[in-house]
Amino acid sequence: MKPLQRILHVEDDISIQEVAKVALEIVGGFEVTSCDDGQSALSRADAWQPDLILLDVMMPGIDGPTTLGKLREQPSTQAIPVVFMTAKVQPSEIEHYRAIGALDVVIKPFDPMTLAEQLRRIWEQHHV
Amino acid sequence: MSDIDVQARLAALREQYSRRLIDDLQTLMAQSREMSARQSGVDFAALDVLRQGLHRIAGSAGSFGYTALSRDAREMEIWLQTALENTNPPTPPMLTALHDRLQDCYRALESPPLSEVDEPQGSYYLASGDRAIRVAVLADGDTETLIQSLSGFGYECRQLSGALDPHRTWSSWHPDIAIVDTAKVAEEIWKPAMEAVPEAALIMLSAESGFEARLNAVRHGAQGFFTHPVDVPSLEHRLRHLVNLPQQDPYRVLIVDDDIELAEHFRLTLKMAGIESRVISDPQDVLRGLRDFVPDLVLIDINMPGCSGPELARIIRFDDDWLKIPLVYLSAESDAHRQAQALALAGDDFLVKPIADVALVAAVTARAQRSRQLSLALARDGLTGLIKHPAIKELIELEMARGQRTDTAACVVMIDIDRFKSINDTYGHGTGDYVIRLLANLLRQRLRRVDHVGRYGGEEFVAVLPSCSLENAREAIERIRVSFSQLECVAATETFHATFSAGVASTHEWSDAETLLEAADRAMYEAKQGGRDQTRIAVPPR
């Protein structure tokens, strides 16, 4: 199994970007690139080819689910796994995100000390 | 990276986030108040804006350690969501309840007392730490006036005569500052004495005022240079500057760059050098960033989508509040002509990317320092270095608001030098200015760090003492009054003593800055009428 290394984090809130960077880079030891909207995520994912995209659901402009759709249309990003991040917790919504192709959903607010571990677990579950 | 580093980084992010949180909560409170006051129908669009704000807090606060707040915001969000989906929109009393709950969150956020409020009440003996600052004076002959004046400011002074073997005494006493009178004491004597106390800062007194004498002082490592007769207020000002030097707040830089990785690199580079910065990736957020962060300098990427660097610089310059902040472009542009064009539009300087970390830090530090000096100078009185009249009034309003939040009282003290006109008439205006500076320095030295001192008019001063009872304020001012009356003021041919009268009023008794100042002023006049050289407390009318 290929280990999880490169994570693209898409999030419009700079504060959350920064805390996630600490959580993933320093605590988790991943390589992280952040961008703050769906549009730039499309080009960044194409150019940087991350192992996984951590995608915020609610964003101004194009939102998370729409971004996911567009990633799936782009051949170069078609196969990159996407994990949604959302502050909504209704089980029906989580099911919905899985149905449209998300690997899993991470609930906001996340704990910066365990976020990396959570992603690693999701990664392993889906590659075993 | 070690766990401590992670915790330090998280703590820094938490601090940054908490500032934003305070703003966000204030905005939400204002929105909910406005909606609860609406007479006509419910504004669904405004309700949705409120819901989005709560959603943002619910989804982020917990990651920064504010778990309870995240939960509260989530509950409020769900409540609003239900109301929005419902055919029965929320009534004004429900919205008032929402506002009150937001206010509770806000209070909970603020309730760990601000560090300023932490300061023990009545700790008015010395502003400079646990013990008095020790000043050794190495001189032959009459230094009594100098030592007496400095003691009056709260310094612990000892005179050491050159004829004795000084270094033995010095090294066991550990002076913080050594004042050496080079006119009276030979170099063979004072140099070994200084070597025995390498941690003490050296101030030289000299009979010569020329360039050579100053250069000599610099070469001996002196951090201050004064000629006879010594101007005591200036000397005292320098002493305080020397002992307070390391306590400056870090410089603050706002970085506007759409390349987040690069901006983040700049932020970390600056952080390593002790400079705080905040990154903004969307030019549209810059005004908000300026308001929230109040930087000493703004770094702007010259090429950004939607709004170029020079355009953004011009937008910033529309606002008078930000005129004094240097705007520095960061650009890969090395073409001198195009740089000049950008500078002609707005902005102060260019840094060319790629830039070495050391160069970035050096460039930012130099400009931020200059900017801070300038803004301090603009808000301060030229003669005394104290806060000017309009700024002190704003401070009183701030302290009153803080007092209401934290349920503590602040005191305002009005101080006026007695018979100042006759001092001017008898000894001349130069001596009058000297007395004003003497009192300004004494007030600064004797009040707590959290207190504010301003020059209100000619010979009138005002002090604002947060978290302070009337009785503590009166005692503090009384001690200063007695010290001041004992200080020797030096005129050309003689020495004399000056006094002041003071009036104290508490924010407990008066509801706004204007009436509070008037009350303190009336009490001060009562002190004058009661025979001057005394302190009176303002009593509210029954």
Side-chain angles (χ1 to χ4, degrees):
Chain A
M1 182 186 78
K2 181 183 188 269
L4 176 58
Q5 274 175 342
R6 290 148 77 99
I7 300 175
L8 177 66
H9 182 212
V10 190
E11 164 68 61
D12 61 305
D13 187 329
I14 299 279
S15 308
I16 298 190
Q17 259 184 36
E18 288 186 347
V19 76
K21 211 165 164 75
V22 173
L24 297 175
E25 244 174 19
I26 303 177
V27 182
F30 299 123
E31 255 181 84
V32 180
T33 292
S34 321
C35 49
D36 45 9
D37 59 65
Q39 196 57 48
S40 51
L42 294 175
S43 51
R44 201 62 66 91
D46 170 48
W48 195 53
Q49 289 294 309
D51 298 327
L52 183 129
I53 299 172
L54 186 56
L55 185 59
D56 187 32
V57 171
M58 273 236 292
M59 288 185 294
I62 52 174
D63 65 4
T66 315
T67 308
L68 173 62
K70 290 185 186 249
L71 283 165
R72 293 294 174 257
E73 285 164 18
Q74 240 175 215
S76 65
T77 57
Q78 212 163 39
I80 303 175
V82 168
V83 170
F84 272 134
M85 203 182 237
T86 176
K88 296 211 171 178
V89 280
Q90 269 95 334
S92 62
E93 274 167 289
I94 295 182
E95 274 320 304
H96 168 69
Y97 296 141
R98 288 209 176 105
I100 61 172
L103 207 56
D104 212 329
V105 178
V106 168
I107 304 299
K108 273 178 161 182
F110 56 85
D111 174 359
M113 298 312 285
T114 59
L115 178 67
E117 199 188 304
Q118 207 181 339
L119 286 184
R120 205 167 266 134
R121 243 191 346 257
I122 292 173
W123 180 259
E124 282 164 9
Q125 268 171 20
H126 290 272
H127 283 80
V128 169
Chain B
M1 201 176 273
S2 77
D3 196 41
I4 294 171
D5 290 331
V6 173
Q7 293 307 331
R9 291 279 293 271
L10 290 177
L13 289 174
R14 176 189 160 97
E15 193 194 312
Q16 222 173 57
Y17 178 80
S18 75
R19 281 193 288 261
R20 173 188 122 179
L21 206 48
I22 285 174
D23 266 18
D24 286 355
L25 280 172
Q26 277 174 341
T27 309
L28 294 178
M29 274 154 65
Q31 287 168 345
S32 60
R33 195 184 311 120
E34 203 174 297
M35 272 184 281
S36 64
R38 266 177 76 98
Q39 297 298 322
S40 55
V42 178
D43 182 347
F44 281 95
L47 274 179
D48 196 51
V49 170
L50 193 57
R51 187 192 59 77
Q52 281 172 25
L54 287 165
H55 179 84
R56 253 160 58 93
I57 293 177
S60 57
S63 295
F64 297 89
Y66 297 101
T67 323
L69 179 61
S70 255
R71 219 170 23 236
D72 279 350
R74 162 84 59 236
E75 281 177 25
M76 286 187 268
E77 184 202 349
I78 291 173
W79 179 81
L80 255 183
Q81 177 84 44
T82 323
L84 278 165
E85 286 163 0
N86 217 311
T87 39
N88 299 322
T91 59
M94 288 161 86
L95 287 164
T96 307
L98 180 73
H99 169 266
D100 292 349
R101 187 150 177 205
L102 281 165
Q103 199 166 36
D104 288 344
C105 292
Y106 182 76
R107 287 204 182 117
L109 199 65
E110 287 238 308
S111 67
L114 297 166
S115 58
E116 291 105 310
V117 182
D118 260 354
E119 198 113 354
Q121 289 207 353
S123 60
Y124 277 108
Y125 288 97
L126 249 185
S128 336
D130 301 338
R131 65 168 174 86
I133 293 156
R134 290 180 175 162
V135 181
V137 182
L138 185 56
D140 267 333
D142 180 29
T143 54
E144 213 171 285
T145 311
L146 178 65
I147 286 187
Q148 205 186 8
S149 302
L150 291 178
S151 303
F153 281 109
Y155 296 96
E156 190 181 339
C157 296
R158 283 198 194 173
Q159 183 182 0
L160 298 148
S161 162
L164 301 168
D165 171 19
H167 28 296
R168 199 170 302 151
T169 336
W170 287 56
S171 48
S172 59
W173 187 54
H174 299 296
D176 302 293
I177 292 164
I179 300 177
V180 174
D181 189 347
T182 55
K184 309 269 177 59
V185 182
E187 196 171 318
E188 307 79 87
I189 308 256
W190 69 258
K191 273 201 88 167
M194 278 309 294
E195 278 158 17
V197 286
E199 71 279 8
L202 170 64
I203 289 187
M204 273 195 185
L205 309 185
S206 166
E208 311 282 325
S209 66
F211 184 77
E212 279 299 319
R214 287 165 201 269
L215 182 63
N216 181 49
V218 166
R219 290 187 174 161
H220 280 109
Q223 292 183 279
F225 178 88
F226 292 88
T227 52
H228 287 291
V230 177
D231 181 67
V232 176
S234 305
L235 175 64
E236 199 281 323
H237 188 261
R238 172 50 59 129
L239 294 186
R240 198 156 24 75
H241 180 69
L242 285 176
V243 291
N244 283 337
L245 216 50
Q247 276 153 357
Q248 203 176 32
D249 287 340
Y251 294 127
R252 301 153 75 84
V253 176
L254 191 68
I255 304 170
V256 191
D257 199 327
D258 60 315
D259 183 342
I260 290 187
E261 269 173 277
L262 187 64
E264 185 62 15
H265 171 76
F266 287 149
R267 194 181 72 83
L268 287 176
T269 306
L270 293 173
K271 198 180 169 72
M272 304 270 241
I275 297 168
E276 288 208 10
S277 43
R278 183 180 286 187
V279 174
I280 283 186
S281 55
D282 185 344
Q284 293 202 16
D285 296 335
V286 79
L287 292 176
R288 187 193 159 118
L290 284 165
R291 266 198 316 275
D292 290 356
F293 190 60
V294 197
D296 296 300
L297 177 138
V298 186
L299 284 176
I300 305 173
D301 181 25
I302 200 143
N303 292 313
M304 287 181 292
C307 174
S308 76
E311 283 169 339
L312 187 64
R314 291 186 69 185
I315 290 173
I316 295 172
R317 289 289 189 240
F318 278 154
D319 201 330
D320 285 349
D321 288 350
W322 313 120
L323 281 178
K324 57 181 188 275
I325 297 183
L327 307 175
V328 177
Y329 297 118
L330 270 167
S331 154
E333 192 59 69
S334 54
D335 177 80
H337 181 64
R338 291 188 58 188
Q339 288 185 2
Q341 276 183 326
L343 288 181
L345 287 172
D348 300 290
D349 210 343
F350 250 100
L351 294 176
V352 177
K353 294 193 275 195
I355 178 168
D357 292 352
V358 194
L360 175 73
V361 169
V364 164
T365 307
R367 287 172 184 83
Q369 187 178 26
R370 196 78 198 98
S371 140
R372 191 170 286 184
Q373 282 168 343
L374 193 63
S375 55
L376 273 179
L378 285 174
R380 280 172 194 274
D381 172 57
L383 179 64
T384 60
L386 296 181
I387 305 162
K388 283 183 196 166
H389 184 164
I392 194 100
K393 213 157 178 185
E394 270 171 39
L395 270 170
I396 293 176
E397 276 156 14
L398 272 175
E399 287 304 338
M400 291 185 98
R402 193 216 301 276
Q404 275 166 8
R405 279 204 312 272
T406 55
D407 206 21
T408 54
C411 283
V412 166
V413 189
M414 198 66 98
I415 296 164
D416 191 89
I417 299 174
D418 295 325
R419 303 185 198 281
F420 186 72
K421 188 173 176 304
S422 104
I423 294 176
N424 268 339
D425 292 348
T426 315
Y427 305 104
H429 288 277
T431 305
D433 284 354
Y434 171 94
V435 174
I436 284 173
R437 282 192 294 145
L438 205 60
L439 178 56
N441 288 7
L442 186 69
L443 286 169
R444 261 193 308 227
Q445 168 77 22
R446 288 298 196 81
L447 292 172
R448 300 168 303 177
R449 273 187 211 286
V450 294
D451 299 333
H452 313 283
V453 194
R455 186 167 174 214
Y456 205 62
E459 69 273 25
E460 209 170 7
F461 296 79
V462 57
V464 185
L465 319 179
S467 303
C468 186
S469 69
L470 266 175
E471 201 34 52
N472 278 339
R474 200 188 61 83
E475 266 180 41
I477 296 302
E478 274 294 279
R479 275 201 295 273
I480 296 172
R481 183 184 62 75
V482 172
S483 297
F484 184 64
S485 67
Q486 291 167 350
L487 280 180
E488 291 222 335
C489 302
V490 186
T493 51
E494 56 193 305
T495 61
F496 63 97
H497 293 271
T499 59
F500 68 72
S501 302
V504 187
S506 165
T507 55
H508 252 335
E509 317 277 6
W510 280 272
S511 56
D512 64 273
E514 194 74 41
T515 55
L516 183 67
L517 274 168
E518 281 167 16
D521 205 38
R522 273 197 307 276
M524 190 266 289
Y525 272 102
E526 281 167 24
K528 293 261 184 202
Q529 274 158 7
R532 300 185 177 85
D533 194 16
Q534 52 189 274
T535 305
R536 290 283 173 96
I537 286 179
V539 184
R542 292 284 167 225

